[in-house]
Amino acid sequence: MTGGTKRQKDMRKALRVLIPRVPMADAEAILALALAGHLRHLPPSIALWQATTSHVRHALTDYDTLLDEGYDRDAARHFVREDMNDVLRGWGCNREVPDDPKD
């Protein structure tokens, strides 16, 4: 994970600050999401936070299973919030996913 555009370099640097102990496979997936076109207009720190929470929610929790079982999006997010925060803490993140999405 070296080289690339200035934005890619800024993203990698911000990723190391946000989640310093993230496994390489997860870091690569998060960076790919953060560099996606629909997040390109956002500052690296915001794009990375959105990509990180999305990756953790979909890849490392039961969120999609809960949706498949009929839970609505808000309920499913509520039920996986603590699992997400456990993962983030394990990666050295100082931020948490709030219970109220407006926070």
Side-chain angles (χ1 to χ4, degrees), residues 23-101:
M24 182 64 72
D26 293 300
E28 290 174 354
I30 291 166
L31 282 171
L33 287 171
L35 291 166
H38 68 284
L39 298 179
R40 189 166 291 143
H41 68 284
L42 297 172
S45 61
I46 295 172
L48 273 171
W49 179 247
Q50 288 186 358
T52 298
T53 57
S54 178
H55 173 74
V56 171
R57 181 179 297 118
H58 290 281
L60 303 173
T61 72
D62 293 330
Y63 178 74
D64 292 318
T65 301
L66 291 170
L67 292 177
D68 291 343
E69 291 175 356
Y71 287 89
D72 67 39
R73 192 181 101 185
D74 290 336
R77 286 178 180 222
H78 171 77
F79 289 123
V80 301
R81 185 180 69 82
E82 275 308 310
D83 293 337
M84 291 177 67
N85 286 330
D86 288 344
V87 169
L88 293 170
R89 280 189 292 272
W91 289 351
C93 185
N94 291 321
R95 288 184 71 175
E96 289 193 346
V97 176
D99 194 30
D100 183 353

Side-chain angles (χ1 to χ4, degrees), residues 9-25:
K9 291 175 185 177
D10 290 346
M11 286 283 191
R12 284 193 296 275
K13 182 177 179 181
L15 182 84
R16 286 189 298 273
V17 171
L18 178 65
I19 45 178
R21 295 191 303 263
V22 64
M24 182 64 72

